[in-house]
mmCIF file with all atom_site columns, all heavy atoms in Angstrom:
data_model
loop_
_atom_site.group_PDB
_atom_site.id
_atom_site.type_symbol
_atom_site.label_atom_id
_atom_site.label_alt_id
_atom_site.label_comp_id
_atom_site.label_asym_id
_atom_site.label_entity_id
_atom_site.label_seq_id
_atom_site.pdbx_PDB_ins_code
_atom_site.Cartn_x
_atom_site.Cartn_y
_atom_site.Cartn_z
_atom_site.occupancy
_atom_site.B_iso_or_equiv
_atom_site.pdbx_formal_charge
_atom_site.auth_seq_id
_atom_site.auth_comp_id
_atom_site.auth_asym_id
_atom_site.auth_atom_id
_atom_site.pdbx_PDB_model_num
ATOM 1  N N   . SER A 1 136 ? 2.046  -2.258  11.115 1.00 0.00 ? 136 SER A N   1
ATOM 2  C CA  . SER A 1 136 ? 2.822  -1.940  12.412 1.00 0.00 ? 136 SER A CA  1
ATOM 3  C C   . SER A 1 136 ? 2.379  -3.048  13.474 1.00 0.00 ? 136 SER A C   1
ATOM 4  O O   . SER A 1 136 ? 3.339  -3.645  14.015 1.00 0.00 ? 136 SER A O   1
ATOM 5  C CB  . SER A 1 136 ? 2.322  -0.576  12.964 1.00 0.00 ? 136 SER A CB  1
ATOM 6  O OG  . SER A 1 136 ? 2.396  -0.564  14.392 1.00 0.00 ? 136 SER A OG  1
ATOM 7  N N   . ASP A 1 137 ? 1.225  -3.624  13.424 1.00 0.00 ? 137 ASP A N   1
ATOM 8  C CA  . ASP A 1 137 ? 0.816  -4.878  14.178 1.00 0.00 ? 137 ASP A CA  1
ATOM 9  C C   . ASP A 1 137 ? 1.664  -5.949  13.733 1.00 0.00 ? 137 ASP A C   1
ATOM 10 O O   . ASP A 1 137 ? 2.251  -6.760  14.643 1.00 0.00 ? 137 ASP A O   1
ATOM 11 C CB  . ASP A 1 137 ? -0.568 -5.215  14.050 1.00 0.00 ? 137 ASP A CB  1
ATOM 12 C CG  . ASP A 1 137 ? -1.541 -4.196  14.744 1.00 0.00 ? 137 ASP A CG  1
ATOM 13 O OD1 . ASP A 1 137 ? -0.969 -3.405  15.586 1.00 0.00 ? 137 ASP A OD1 1
ATOM 14 O OD2 . ASP A 1 137 ? -2.711 -4.348  14.569 1.00 0.00 ? 137 ASP A OD2 1
ATOM 15 N N   . LEU A 1 138 ? 1.876  -6.223  12.406 1.00 0.00 ? 138 LEU A N   1
ATOM 16 C CA  . LEU A 1 138 ? 2.572  -7.394  11.911 1.00 0.00 ? 138 LEU A CA  1
ATOM 17 C C   . LEU A 1 138 ? 3.952  -7.234  12.298 1.00 0.00 ? 138 LEU A C   1
ATOM 18 O O   . LEU A 1 138 ? 4.601  -8.254  12.704 1.00 0.00 ? 138 LEU A O   1
ATOM 19 C CB  . LEU A 1 138 ? 2.403  -7.532  10.308 1.00 0.00 ? 138 LEU A CB  1
ATOM 20 C CG  . LEU A 1 138 ? 2.905  -8.661  9.621  1.00 0.00 ? 138 LEU A CG  1
ATOM 21 C CD1 . LEU A 1 138 ? 2.445  -10.047 10.268 1.00 0.00 ? 138 LEU A CD1 1
ATOM 22 C CD2 . LEU A 1 138 ? 2.660  -8.654  8.236  1.00 0.00 ? 138 LEU A CD2 1
ATOM 23 N N   . LEU A 1 139 ? 4.575  -5.999  12.337 1.00 0.00 ? 139 LEU A N   1
ATOM 24 C CA  . LEU A 1 139 ? 5.946  -5.875  12.679 1.00 0.00 ? 139 LEU A CA  1
ATOM 25 C C   . LEU A 1 139 ? 6.223  -6.301  14.115 1.00 0.00 ? 139 LEU A C   1
ATOM 26 O O   . LEU A 1 139 ? 7.191  -7.032  14.508 1.00 0.00 ? 139 LEU A O   1
ATOM 27 C CB  . LEU A 1 139 ? 6.433  -4.555  12.378 1.00 0.00 ? 139 LEU A CB  1
ATOM 28 C CG  . LEU A 1 139 ? 7.974  -4.130  12.740 1.00 0.00 ? 139 LEU A CG  1
ATOM 29 C CD1 . LEU A 1 139 ? 8.854  -5.035  11.786 1.00 0.00 ? 139 LEU A CD1 1
ATOM 30 C CD2 . LEU A 1 139 ? 8.179  -2.676  12.465 1.00 0.00 ? 139 LEU A CD2 1
ATOM 31 N N   . ASN A 1 140 ? 5.266  -5.904  15.027 1.00 0.00 ? 140 ASN A N   1
ATOM 32 C CA  . ASN A 1 140 ? 5.346  -6.099  16.393 1.00 0.00 ? 140 ASN A CA  1
ATOM 33 C C   . ASN A 1 140 ? 5.292  -7.733  16.632 1.00 0.00 ? 140 ASN A C   1
ATOM 34 O O   . ASN A 1 140 ? 6.024  -8.290  17.371 1.00 0.00 ? 140 ASN A O   1
ATOM 35 C CB  . ASN A 1 140 ? 4.238  -5.606  17.207 1.00 0.00 ? 140 ASN A CB  1
ATOM 36 C CG  . ASN A 1 140 ? 4.493  -4.103  17.460 1.00 0.00 ? 140 ASN A CG  1
ATOM 37 O OD1 . ASN A 1 140 ? 5.591  -3.686  17.496 1.00 0.00 ? 140 ASN A OD1 1
ATOM 38 N ND2 . ASN A 1 140 ? 3.450  -3.352  17.751 1.00 0.00 ? 140 ASN A ND2 1
ATOM 39 N N   . ILE A 1 141 ? 4.468  -8.387  15.940 1.00 0.00 ? 141 ILE A N   1
ATOM 40 C CA  . ILE A 1 141 ? 4.316  -9.868  15.913 1.00 0.00 ? 141 ILE A CA  1
ATOM 41 C C   . ILE A 1 141 ? 5.578  -10.519 15.483 1.00 0.00 ? 141 ILE A C   1
ATOM 42 O O   . ILE A 1 141 ? 6.125  -11.356 16.179 1.00 0.00 ? 141 ILE A O   1
ATOM 43 C CB  . ILE A 1 141 ? 3.068  -10.443 15.108 1.00 0.00 ? 141 ILE A CB  1
ATOM 44 C CG1 . ILE A 1 141 ? 1.647  -9.710  15.545 1.00 0.00 ? 141 ILE A CG1 1
ATOM 45 C CG2 . ILE A 1 141 ? 3.052  -11.800 14.946 1.00 0.00 ? 141 ILE A CG2 1
ATOM 46 C CD1 . ILE A 1 141 ? 1.145  -10.348 16.847 1.00 0.00 ? 141 ILE A CD1 1
ATOM 47 N N   . VAL A 1 142 ? 6.090  -10.055 14.414 1.00 0.00 ? 142 VAL A N   1
ATOM 48 C CA  . VAL A 1 142 ? 7.369  -10.640 13.863 1.00 0.00 ? 142 VAL A CA  1
ATOM 49 C C   . VAL A 1 142 ? 8.506  -10.452 14.825 1.00 0.00 ? 142 VAL A C   1
ATOM 50 O O   . VAL A 1 142 ? 9.217  -11.382 15.111 1.00 0.00 ? 142 VAL A O   1
ATOM 51 C CB  . VAL A 1 142 ? 7.705  -9.982  12.444 1.00 0.00 ? 142 VAL A CB  1
ATOM 52 C CG1 . VAL A 1 142 ? 9.123  -10.331 12.014 1.00 0.00 ? 142 VAL A CG1 1
ATOM 53 C CG2 . VAL A 1 142 ? 6.690  -10.508 11.491 1.00 0.00 ? 142 VAL A CG2 1
ATOM 54 N N   . LYS A 1 143 ? 8.637  -9.294  15.446 1.00 0.00 ? 143 LYS A N   1
ATOM 55 C CA  . LYS A 1 143 ? 9.648  -9.089  16.391 1.00 0.00 ? 143 LYS A CA  1
ATOM 56 C C   . LYS A 1 143 ? 9.504  -9.905  17.612 1.00 0.00 ? 143 LYS A C   1
ATOM 57 O O   . LYS A 1 143 ? 10.474 -10.562 18.123 1.00 0.00 ? 143 LYS A O   1
ATOM 58 C CB  . LYS A 1 143 ? 9.675  -7.560  16.841 1.00 0.00 ? 143 LYS A CB  1
ATOM 59 C CG  . LYS A 1 143 ? 10.233 -6.638  15.891 1.00 0.00 ? 143 LYS A CG  1
ATOM 60 C CD  . LYS A 1 143 ? 10.225 -5.193  16.466 1.00 0.00 ? 143 LYS A CD  1
ATOM 61 C CE  . LYS A 1 143 ? 10.986 -4.313  15.428 1.00 0.00 ? 143 LYS A CE  1
ATOM 62 N NZ  . LYS A 1 143 ? 10.694 -2.856  15.841 1.00 0.00 ? 143 LYS A NZ  1
ATOM 63 N N   . ARG A 1 144 ? 8.233  -10.079 18.125 1.00 0.00 ? 144 ARG A N   1
ATOM 64 C CA  . ARG A 1 144 ? 8.044  -10.967 19.246 1.00 0.00 ? 144 ARG A CA  1
ATOM 65 C C   . ARG A 1 144 ? 8.168  -12.403 18.947 1.00 0.00 ? 144 ARG A C   1
ATOM 66 O O   . ARG A 1 144 ? 8.707  -13.117 19.868 1.00 0.00 ? 144 ARG A O   1
ATOM 67 C CB  . ARG A 1 144 ? 6.531  -10.782 19.689 1.00 0.00 ? 144 ARG A CB  1
ATOM 68 C CG  . ARG A 1 144 ? 6.321  -11.180 21.169 1.00 0.00 ? 144 ARG A CG  1
ATOM 69 C CD  . ARG A 1 144 ? 4.981  -10.706 21.570 1.00 0.00 ? 144 ARG A CD  1
ATOM 70 N NE  . ARG A 1 144 ? 4.711  -9.311  21.551 1.00 0.00 ? 144 ARG A NE  1
ATOM 71 C CZ  . ARG A 1 144 ? 3.566  -8.713  21.243 1.00 0.00 ? 144 ARG A CZ  1
ATOM 72 N NH1 . ARG A 1 144 ? 2.516  -9.425  20.827 1.00 0.00 ? 144 ARG A NH1 1
ATOM 73 N NH2 . ARG A 1 144 ? 3.557  -7.343  21.137 1.00 0.00 ? 144 ARG A NH2 1
ATOM 74 N N   . ALA A 1 145 ? 8.034  -12.822 17.735 1.00 0.00 ? 145 ALA A N   1
ATOM 75 C CA  . ALA A 1 145 ? 8.247  -14.235 17.416 1.00 0.00 ? 145 ALA A CA  1
ATOM 76 C C   . ALA A 1 145 ? 9.748  -14.591 17.405 1.00 0.00 ? 145 ALA A C   1
ATOM 77 O O   . ALA A 1 145 ? 10.064 -15.830 17.495 1.00 0.00 ? 145 ALA A O   1
ATOM 78 C CB  . ALA A 1 145 ? 7.541  -14.599 16.115 1.00 0.00 ? 145 ALA A CB  1
ATOM 79 N N   . GLY A 1 146 ? 10.548 -13.622 17.083 1.00 0.00 ? 146 GLY A N   1
ATOM 80 C CA  . GLY A 1 146 ? 11.982 -13.867 17.039 1.00 0.00 ? 146 GLY A CA  1
ATOM 81 C C   . GLY A 1 146 ? 12.250 -14.950 15.939 1.00 0.00 ? 146 GLY A C   1
ATOM 82 O O   . GLY A 1 146 ? 11.878 -14.758 14.807 1.00 0.00 ? 146 GLY A O   1
ATOM 83 N N   . ASP A 1 147 ? 12.999 -16.000 16.236 1.00 0.00 ? 147 ASP A N   1
ATOM 84 C CA  . ASP A 1 147 ? 13.309 -17.038 15.295 1.00 0.00 ? 147 ASP A CA  1
ATOM 85 C C   . ASP A 1 147 ? 12.195 -17.967 14.934 1.00 0.00 ? 147 ASP A C   1
ATOM 86 O O   . ASP A 1 147 ? 12.281 -18.767 13.972 1.00 0.00 ? 147 ASP A O   1
ATOM 87 C CB  . ASP A 1 147 ? 14.635 -17.844 15.792 1.00 0.00 ? 147 ASP A CB  1
ATOM 88 C CG  . ASP A 1 147 ? 15.859 -17.061 15.787 1.00 0.00 ? 147 ASP A CG  1
ATOM 89 O OD1 . ASP A 1 147 ? 15.906 -15.996 14.884 1.00 0.00 ? 147 ASP A OD1 1
ATOM 90 O OD2 . ASP A 1 147 ? 16.715 -17.310 16.375 1.00 0.00 ? 147 ASP A OD2 1
ATOM 91 N N   . ASN A 1 148 ? 11.161 -17.899 15.719 1.00 0.00 ? 148 ASN A N   1
ATOM 92 C CA  . ASN A 1 148 ? 10.133 -18.898 15.480 1.00 0.00 ? 148 ASN A CA  1
ATOM 93 C C   . ASN A 1 148 ? 9.049  -18.396 14.563 1.00 0.00 ? 148 ASN A C   1
ATOM 94 O O   . ASN A 1 148 ? 7.926  -17.890 15.023 1.00 0.00 ? 148 ASN A O   1
ATOM 95 C CB  . ASN A 1 148 ? 9.485  -19.299 16.885 1.00 0.00 ? 148 ASN A CB  1
ATOM 96 C CG  . ASN A 1 148 ? 8.585  -20.585 16.720 1.00 0.00 ? 148 ASN A CG  1
ATOM 97 O OD1 . ASN A 1 148 ? 8.285  -20.920 15.670 1.00 0.00 ? 148 ASN A OD1 1
ATOM 98 N ND2 . ASN A 1 148 ? 8.176  -21.101 17.854 1.00 0.00 ? 148 ASN A ND2 1
#
Side-chain angles (χ1 to χ4, degrees):
S136 157
D137 285 352
L138 186 55
L139 182 61
N140 282 338
I141 299 287
V142 165
K143 282 181 175 168
R144 198 169 303 142
D147 287 336
N148 193 350

